[in-house]
Amino acid sequence: MAVEYQRLTENELETFIRIRIGQLREEGAKEDIDLAPALRDYYRRHMADGTFVSWLAVENGKIIGTSGMSFVEKPPYFGCPSGRMGLLSSMFTNRDYRRRGIAKELLSRVVEEARRYGCGAVWITASDMGVKLYDDFGFVKNGNFMQYKL
């Protein structure tokens, strides 16, 4: 059966959250809290106000791939005169479906969402596994990105 693509709705949210937590574990995160309530709150609020969108890859009713784009705004700068930015997250493809173009299709769809939202840039903190996908798509490393954890 063919892979179908659809936008995330409240109906798929619990499965999406389970997949997101699994993805974080696969990437090496050390789970020391129950993240599900915070994710549920975030996704519900931001889906409702249009500042988070996700496209899903589905086969036979099963979610096999996910994507996510959060929209944020900061003061405009030369590289992004609108100040609107997309923060890419939740890019995940089930292990059995990798290397079939699913992630590229999901990425294309959420990048188009960012374009429609008026974003001037899309950012991601890429896992080692995802770097080739983003390089091939046209993302460029920004060596100045730093984080301060509070």
Side-chain angles (χ1 to χ4, degrees), residues 45-150:
R45 283 185 297 110
H46 291 282
M47 285 169 60
D49 72 9
T51 57
F52 178 80
V53 296
S54 170
W55 279 88
L56 309 173
V58 179
E59 184 179 71
N60 294 326
K62 177 184 173 188
I63 298 172
I64 59 169
T66 64
S67 65
M69 185 73 71
S70 299
F71 302 121
V72 298
E73 191 168 355
K74 61 188 261 180
Y77 60 99
F78 291 118
C80 183
S82 71
R84 291 181 175 190
M85 298 174 50
L87 300 178
L88 187 60
S89 65
S90 305
M91 289 295 301
F92 182 78
T93 304
N94 179 298
R95 200 178 295 263
D96 298 333
Y97 293 87
R98 293 180 182 163
R99 304 280 181 240
R100 297 186 190 181
I102 292 169
K104 182 179 180 183
E105 180 64 26
L106 290 168
L107 180 58
S108 295
R109 288 172 184 254
V110 290
V111 166
E112 184 55 35
E113 296 274 1
R115 186 174 283 111
R116 281 196 297 270
Y117 193 81
C119 293
V122 172
W123 287 29
I124 185 170
T125 303
S127 68
D128 292 343
M129 198 177 346
V131 170
K132 181 170 176 16
L133 169 69
Y134 306 119
D135 279 343
D136 290 350
F137 198 86
F139 281 71
V140 177
K141 278 193 174 191
N142 179 346
N144 292 329
F145 180 79
M146 298 174 73
Q147 176 176 309
Y148 181 78
K149 188 172 181 179
L150 300 175

